[in-house]
Amino acid sequence: MAIGEKSGLKTGAATRDAFGEALAELGGSLPEVVVVDADVGNSTRTEPFSKKFPERSFNIGIAESNLVSVAGGLAASGKTPVVASFACFLMCNAYDQIRMSVAFPGLNVKLVGSHAGISIGEDGPSQMGIEDVALACTLPGVAVIVPADAASTKAATAAMLSHDGPTYLRLGRPKVPAIYTDGCDFEIGRSIQLRDGSDVTLIANGLMVAMALDAAEDLSAKGISARVIDMHTVSPIDEEAIIRAARETRGIVVAEEHLAAGGLGSAVARVTAEHAPVKMGFVNVGNTYAESGDPDGLLEKYGLTPEAITTAAAGLLSE
Amino acid sequence: MAVEAIQLGNDELRDKARTLRQHIIRMTTEAASGHPTSSLSAVEVVNALFFGGYLRLDPAAPADPARDRFILSKGHAVPVLYAAMSERGYFAAEELLTLRKLGSPLEGHPNMKRLPGIEASTGSLGQGLSIGLGHALAAKVDGRDSHVYVMTGDGEMGEGQVWEAIAAAAKYQTANLTLIVDQNGYQQTGATGDVLDLTPFADRIGSFGWHTQTISGNDQDEVLAALKTAREVTDRPTAIVSRTQKGYGILPLLEEEGDLNYHGKPLSADLEQKALALLG
């Protein structure tokens, strides 16, 4: 069964496509926006912007270190640079440049990492950004955003461009279920409750939001009422929604397409540990690199499924 | 007030260089840490940029978009930049003695967030030229004639990112970007030629399509002439390989101490007095 089918969702566009569309649309009314690309614009989808605004686009070649620091200089001279590459190459290859040329001086650079997660499939682990959220979240002052579908990605792109400060936007390669079919009221740092529930809370972002909705259907069939929260911003995290969930339900399961360490699960657990201890379960890639293969097969093999969320939630309640 | 350059006469400029050196010695000795010799090699170039008719700035409006930019990529040499900024009117000379102290915006390496007028937060070597290229591209997009100067060290040229930036600047023909390599011949553990020899810099940078000059960088006249030539090139980025001596101005003292590199250590109070006497 396809992701989202159980909860009645239809397949929509990939988040990278929605970002590319929104960027090209918004570029006209935002003259300070420029794109800096390390020759992957047709993958990250900055290409439509660059075709529309060639004088505001720079393909500086396959050189991520230079890519990020050039963007720092552009921002220091008043531009709003959008820097897009694969999540792993941007975050892992240019991390010190992000630290020193963007985060430490607090410059208005928009970092965009596409091809995040294991759902990129056949290209394999070298291309999979599965540690990027952890790396981004350690940077003081950088907003870290992981949208779930095309509509929320478009809204997140607009929010990112109007936000004054450095941001990291995480995008995926495959088509994903459309969740926000009636538009998305998106605000950086404010989560969105998609379904109310009183027994357990499922907190997810990215591709895992649709799976959490599916899991909530499964749980409902078992007589368990599950709240579902789209925690699209990992930093700054929406503490209030987490604390409320910890107090109003009996457990929280966090699902993300990321390594176990340092991602959404860690961010949520830090909040509950400090303010409202509660039973927690975690659905993620674990502590391993993945492998090449078809996306659905990979998600299944590495435990990123609605069933995994359902099992974790039911397990919490039976403890 | 708008941005403007300050152009001192040759003798006044030489006096100003001496003042910058005095500041460098005093502030690092007071801080009891820092990199005085790395700062001293760069004095003639920084002095010529700030007081020889080049950097168009307005200390009262340090973020004026029309300004020229100077980025010190070899951030450990920041005492020379603080000295020049103070002399230019960004802050009072007394503040120089707060270098590296808790609460002071004059940090051990440049921090643009805390000190207006600092163009880039550097200290992780290799990033300044890329940042400068970003400023140069922004000026091109905006149609401003701002010129961007970036100073690296010769040891810093071991960072691959510098060569990424050299290649990209050649692609965009940023004639408003000038790289100055302060080739003082030493890096942390020894002579640059022994650690990782990337000379001849001019040939290597020139092979990417840059205009290059190699000068004696502690010779005021040569520095002024090279900066003038760099402004006259209109079709490609320019590099000045500035062959200098680390610790220039107090070399007899370093010889006496038996350490011509003297990397990353301040002078003692006793040596400070000897150094100031040498400077005259």
Side-chain angles (χ1 to χ4, degrees):
Chain A
M1 184 175 268
I3 301 165
E5 207 174 308
K6 203 169 280 171
S7 35
L9 302 177
K10 293 198 171 61
T11 302
T15 53
R16 62 172 174 154
D17 287 317
F19 155 75
E21 237 178 77
L23 182 66
E25 277 168 25
L26 294 164
S29 57
L30 298 169
E32 300 310 328
V33 172
V34 297
V35 160
V36 199
D37 170 32
D39 204 37
V40 284
N42 52 351
S43 295
T44 62
R45 305 297 198 237
T46 54
E47 195 175 54
F49 177 97
S50 297
K51 283 196 166 149
K52 206 166 157 189
F53 308 104
E55 72 291 350
R56 290 198 264 146
S57 299
F58 305 97
N59 181 351
I60 56 93
I62 306 169
E64 287 79 12
S65 305
N66 188 45
L67 173 82
V68 170
S69 296
V70 164
L74 283 159
S77 264
K79 298 295 164 200
T80 306
V82 175
V83 176
S85 183
F86 283 33
C88 56
F89 306 136
L90 182 64
M91 272 297 152
C92 302
N93 195 339
Y95 195 67
D96 185 42
Q97 286 72 24
I98 293 173
R99 179 182 77 105
M100 281 302 297
S101 296
V102 177
F104 176 48
L107 290 167
N108 194 28
V109 174
K110 310 307 174 188
L111 304 160
V112 179
S114 70
H115 295 66
I118 64 173
S119 58
I120 67 158
E122 291 80 357
D123 276 340
S126 69
Q127 319 294 301
M128 294 171 177
I130 52 174
E131 56 286 274
D132 56 317
V133 173
L135 291 168
C137 282
T138 63
L139 297 161
V142 176
V144 180
I145 305 162
V146 186
D149 77 342
S152 59
T153 298
K154 282 190 158 190
T157 302
M160 166 184 94
L161 293 175
S162 61
H163 175 78
D164 185 19
T167 58
Y168 174 60
L169 178 67
R170 182 193 216 219
L171 303 173
R173 180 176 182 276
K175 288 183 173 166
V176 288
I179 295 167
Y180 297 96
T181 46
D182 298 325
C184 177
D185 181 15
F186 188 96
E187 188 186 317
I188 292 173
R190 198 193 58 182
S191 65
I192 300 169
Q193 183 172 305
L194 292 170
R195 178 177 174 137
D196 199 7
S198 53
D199 295 323
V200 67
T201 302
L202 312 178
I203 295 179
N205 63 18
L207 178 63
M208 302 307 290
V209 175
M211 292 201 203
L213 288 168
D214 285 349
E217 287 295 322
D218 282 341
L219 289 163
S220 173
K222 294 178 198 291
I224 298 170
S225 161
R227 178 179 299 185
V228 178
I229 295 175
D230 175 2
M231 193 62 72
H232 52 70
T233 306
V234 189
S235 181
I237 194 97
D238 185 348
E239 295 197 355
E240 202 188 313
I242 295 168
I243 293 167
R244 212 181 313 120
R247 292 190 175 141
E248 294 173 3
T249 66
R250 288 186 283 141
I252 296 176
V253 174
V254 185
E256 61 188 318
E257 196 184 357
H258 189 271
L259 291 175
L264 179 63
S266 299
V268 173
R270 199 182 61 237
V271 175
T272 59
E274 189 176 353
H275 300 286
V278 68
K279 283 186 200 169
M280 289 189 70
F282 302 92
V283 173
N284 51 50
V285 179
N287 188 25
T288 183
Y289 295 103
E291 63 194 275
S292 285
D294 67 285
D296 289 341
L298 278 169
L299 291 168
E300 177 83 34
K301 178 166 180 178
Y302 288 87
L304 301 182
T305 59
E307 293 70 35
I309 300 172
T310 304
T311 305
L316 283 187
L317 298 180
S318 68
E319 274 174 26
Chain B
M1 208 174 78
V3 295
E4 59 178 23
I6 288 180
Q7 186 162 9
L8 301 178
N10 280 350
D11 290 343
E12 286 174 295
L13 197 57
R14 255 176 268 283
D15 288 345
K16 189 64 86 180
R18 186 187 309 119
T19 303
L20 298 188
R21 287 200 158 85
Q22 290 164 342
H23 285 320
I24 289 166
I25 302 291
R26 286 195 178 113
M27 73 174 105
T28 50
T29 296
E30 171 66 24
S33 69
H35 301 74
T37 57
S38 310
S39 307
L40 289 169
S41 63
V43 164
E44 274 67 30
V45 168
V46 173
N47 191 39
L49 285 169
F50 275 83
F51 302 104
Y54 287 93
L55 292 177
R56 291 162 295 180
L57 305 166
D58 179 2
D64 189 324
R67 74 194 186 279
D68 293 324
R69 276 81 163 157
F70 172 65
I71 291 167
L72 186 65
S73 192
K74 48 174 278 188
H76 56 288
V78 73
V80 67
L81 178 54
Y82 293 152
M85 288 173 70
S86 165
E87 287 295 315
R88 190 71 192 253
Y90 282 87
F91 49 83
E94 299 82 69
E95 280 202 52
L96 292 171
L97 296 179
T98 67
L99 173 71
R100 291 174 165 253
K101 291 184 177 168
L102 196 62
S104 171
L106 277 62
E107 296 200 20
H109 291 79
N111 182 345
M112 65 183 289
K113 229 177 160 179
R114 293 189 64 195
L115 190 61
I118 292 288
E119 298 289 2
S121 296
T122 56
S124 177
L125 293 173
Q127 300 187 25
L129 187 61
S130 302
I131 295 169
L133 175 57
H135 280 284
L137 291 172
K140 282 183 89 165
V141 171
D142 291 346
R144 282 182 282 110
D145 79 337
S146 299
H147 201 95
V148 183
Y149 298 90
V150 178
M151 176 181 276
T152 63
D154 48 351
E156 182 179 4
M157 298 301 280
E159 293 279 4
Q161 185 181 352
V162 180
W163 301 94
E164 293 180 2
I166 288 171
K171 170 179 174 177
Y172 290 103
Q173 300 182 313
T174 46
N176 57 344
L177 178 65
T178 297
L179 164 66
I180 300 150
V181 182
D182 183 32
Q183 189 185 352
N184 65 27
Y186 284 101
Q187 56 194 93
Q188 182 155 331
T189 65
T192 300
D194 295 334
V195 177
L196 184 66
D197 190 0
L198 288 164
T199 58
F201 289 119
D203 289 0
R204 291 198 161 147
I205 298 167
S207 74
F208 284 84
W210 285 50
H211 177 276
T212 63
Q213 309 173 70
T214 301
I215 61 164
S216 291
N218 293 127
D219 182 315
Q220 182 171 297
D221 297 335
E222 286 200 28
V223 170
L224 289 171
L227 290 174
K228 184 166 184 290
T229 301
R231 287 308 305 258
E232 287 164 359
V233 174
T234 56
D235 60 345
R236 56 206 155 127
T238 55
I240 299 172
V241 179
S242 176
R243 299 179 60 122
T244 59
Q245 286 184 283
K246 195 163 175 174
Y248 188 82
I250 62 164
L251 290 171
L253 191 65
L254 301 183
E255 272 168 31
E256 224 176 276
E257 292 296 304
D259 183 0
L260 281 175
N261 187 0
Y262 218 83
H263 183 88
K265 23 182 200 183
L267 300 177
S268 65
D270 178 42
L271 290 180
E272 176 192 32
Q273 291 313 309
K274 288 184 181 169
L276 293 173
L278 266 178
L279 293 175

